[in-house]
Structures are given as structure tokens and as C-alpha cells.
Amino acid sequence: MKIAFVGKGGSGKTTLSSLFIRHLAATGAPVIAVDADINQHLGAALGLDEAQSAALPAMGAHLPLIKEYLRGSNPRIASAETMIKTTPPGEGSRLLRVREDNPVYEACARPVRLDDGEIRLMATGPFTETDLGVACYHSKVGAVELCLNHLVDGPDEYVVVDMTAGSDSFASGMFTRFDMTFLVAEPTRKGVSVYRQYKEYARDFGVALRVVGNKVQGEDDVAFLREEAGDDLLVTVGHSDWVRAMEKGRPAAFALLEENNRAALRSLRRAVDESYRRRDWERYTRQMVHFHLKNAESWGNAKTGADLAAQVDPAFVLREGLSAAQPA
């Protein structure tokens, strides 16, 4: 199952995504966590110190390796250089599984030991000084999108992505790659503005969207969020001494997280599990192809010098039961 946490800057989406990751790991579920935010804070929220966070490999730096591995023996892709972030898999492509070991995870993922389990953590990499004025952060996030397009995940496997703030993810088709998008909103006008944008953009693509109210201090805050988000409001979260200690670098055992917050995390998981049961793999694949053709026409063909529409395998549907890695 693929889950995105989104919201405006400062809404607490990284904190809540890290809590959800800890919750899943504590139940023994296999988890891949991805920091796709321009400000890389997920590692610290999961307990890494500054040196450990800085040592995380950047997925963007390994994009040639990722492309070459995923291309496999797909005859529709002439070379790794002609692959772009939206290139869909086809017959002969190598696919990724949450539980497997492969060269992509070896290069880009690092194990992180939590109180009650271990996860894999991946990061797009920060926006560096050399990028200023010449690069777009979406090119870094493209490595994440390419991996999600080639990932065959199952009902008891979780990929949790901490997305970049605001509505920037709509600059690509990545917002359609998730079984559930949790929008973290504070009970303020600014806090719900990103929700309105997401709701509008996602409507035509069947994106499952639920709101998580954060920094809620009383019933008036809950009423405000309910008025703004209606039935999309799933749970609300208030002050947490456990989170405050974690943000100071002195977290208690995760089992000591307040029960009301643990109950909220259980509600998030139930919503994710229910959404996955409704996944339509054929629509999922069609959306992938739709955005690939749009990107090919708008910039991909010109950049690569190839007709990227020819990369689409019309008979291929990504679904459970496909082999994890197609033969090279």
C-alpha cells in the first residue's frame, strides 16, 4: 500500500508521517519510508542524528542506476537515457517489491532501527547550492515517481512518502500513485487552503483523500475543520508530550505515546487498508500512461530526442502476481 502525507509547510506532516511509520513498524509490517520533501527532516523524525541523516544516499544521485535496473529487457525502451520520471513498466521491465533486496534498495535505502522494528528509509536528497537557479526540485522527486511506477506492493506492505509542502506534487502524476493521501491541516484558514487545492485537483482522478487535523486544541478547532473538510476529516491530533520530547531528541519508548494519538494512528491504518482493497490496477496503469504521454509531448520527446509514446506497452497492466524482477 502506498501512502502520501501532504500539507502546507509547518503543518506537522513529517511528524505525523513518522508516527505512522513507527506505528506500522511496531505491528511488524514491512515499511519503506521515503522523504520526498525539499526540506529533508523525516530521518531526524525517525531518530537519526544529523550525521546519519546527512549520510542518507540521495535517490536523485542514483537515477542512472535506477533507470538501468528498471529498464531490464523491455524492448520498447532503447536505453536508460530515454527513460523519464513517468516512463511506465512493460513486458521485460524489472519491478520492485517491498520485501525484496535489489540494486535500487542497496544503493538508495538504509535500514533504520526503531523501538519495535526496522524499516527501510529512502530520500530524494536535499536541494543543494549547485541546483540554485538551474534546477527544479521535481527532477529529484522524479526518482521516487519512477520507482513507484514500477512497484508491485501487496496488502500487508506499506510505502509511506513524506511529500513536499503545498500542492507541488501536482506538477507531475505522482499524486495518483497513492492508495491514500493524508492531508495534514491546522485549524486555520491557511491550514485548510492546501486541502481545497488538493480536493479540486484530485477530483477527476479518483484520489483517495482524508484530512488529519493537527495542533487541535479544543472542540472549536474540531468544528472548524469539520465545517471546512466535512466527511474528509478523519481524525484530529492535539498536543503530545511524547512528540515534544522526540523533537528535542529525547523520545520515550514509542509504546508510551498517548493512547488518544495511538488510536488516531490505528484509524489512519484502517483507512489505508480499506482504500487498498478498492485499488483498480487497470485504472492505476491507465493513469500512469496518461501522465507519461502528457510529459512526453510537453518536454520529454524534445529532451530525449525520442518518441516516448512508443515506450507504452498497451497490453501491460501492473498488478499483484507479477514477478518482482522481470528477466534481464
Side-chain angles (χ1 to χ4, degrees):
M1 286 170 272
K2 304 182 183 80
I3 305 102
F5 279 81
V6 301
K8 79 173 187 66
S11 63
K13 65 181 181 62
T14 297
T15 297
L16 284 168
S17 61
S18 71
L19 290 177
F20 189 58
I21 290 164
R22 289 176 185 269
H23 170 71
L24 295 172
T27 68
V31 180
I32 294 176
V34 183
D35 191 344
D37 196 350
I38 191 170
N39 298 305
Q40 306 267 284
H41 296 309
L42 184 58
L46 291 170
L48 301 186
D49 60 30
E50 289 186 9
Q52 291 170 323
S53 295
L56 290 172
M59 293 179 69
H62 294 282
L63 192 54
L65 178 150
I66 293 171
K67 290 181 177 181
E68 188 61 48
Y69 179 77
L70 297 179
R71 181 171 74 97
S73 60
N74 187 335
R76 296 175 179 274
I77 304 175
S79 67
E81 289 73 21
T82 61
M83 293 181 73
I84 61 174
K85 63 182 181 179
T86 55
T87 295
E91 185 67 30
S93 296
R94 289 194 180 99
L95 306 175
L96 303 175
R97 286 276 189 183
V98 172
R99 302 174 193 257
E100 71 176 2
D101 294 320
N102 58 56
V104 174
Y105 295 161
E106 182 179 351
C108 301
R110 293 295 179 266
V112 175
R113 183 71 189 175
L114 303 174
D115 288 358
D116 301 307
E118 187 174 274
I119 66 160
R120 280 173 165 153
L121 175 60
M122 305 173 75
T124 59
F127 202 68
T128 64
E129 289 187 8
T130 57
D131 296 323
L132 294 177
V134 297
C136 171
Y137 188 69
H138 299 121
S139 63
K140 296 179 180 292
V141 180
V144 179
E145 184 170 358
L146 195 58
C147 286
L148 292 178
N149 280 352
H150 288 74
L151 179 67
V152 182
D153 51 317
D156 298 314
E157 303 167 332
Y158 297 86
V159 179
V160 182
V161 183
D162 181 21
M163 296 286 286
T164 191
S167 55
D168 281 358
S169 64
F170 286 99
S172 74
M174 193 160 72
F175 72 99
T176 66
R177 300 299 85 201
F178 302 102
D179 298 291
M180 177 59 68
T181 296
F182 290 125
L183 190 141
V184 181
E186 300 169 82
T188 64
R189 292 174 63 186
K190 288 184 178 179
V192 298
S193 63
V194 176
Y195 161 71
R196 295 196 190 98
Q197 288 179 299
Y198 253 85
K199 185 72 172 179
E200 179 181 352
Y201 294 154
R203 183 179 295 114
D204 294 335
F205 293 93
V207 173
L209 177 67
R210 301 303 299 271
V211 174
V212 180
N214 194 29
K215 304 179 184 178
V216 171
Q217 297 182 10
E219 289 301 319
D220 184 64
D221 286 345
V222 176
F224 173 82
L225 289 169
R226 181 70 65 190
E227 181 180 352
E228 296 292 332
D231 291 339
D232 285 342
L233 180 64
L234 179 62
V235 295
T236 60
V237 179
H239 173 78
S240 169
D241 289 334
W242 192 96
V243 169
R244 180 60 60 87
M246 180 269 290
E247 291 174 339
K248 293 177 180 177
R250 300 194 295 268
F254 184 66
L256 298 178
L257 180 70
E258 301 87 354
E259 174 54 30
N260 62 314
N261 291 325
R262 296 176 69 85
L265 295 174
R266 290 193 294 268
S267 294
L268 298 189
R269 184 172 185 177
R270 285 194 296 270
V272 169
D273 292 347
E274 177 61 29
S275 182
Y276 180 84
R277 285 191 285 270
R278 297 193 299 269
R279 182 191 285 184
D280 181 339
W281 285 98
E282 291 188 356
R283 185 182 71 176
Y284 188 83
T285 304
R286 285 198 306 271
Q287 289 175 338
M288 196 188 312
V289 170
H290 169 77
F291 283 104
H292 178 63
L293 295 177
K294 286 189 65 175
N295 278 267
E297 183 178 356
S298 64
W299 62 269
N301 291 344
K303 181 176 181 179
T304 63
D307 176 13
L308 300 186
Q311 293 180 344
V312 176
D313 184 343
F316 183 87
V317 176
L318 190 70
R319 64 172 74 248
E320 287 183 75
L322 294 175
S323 60
Q326 301 285 356

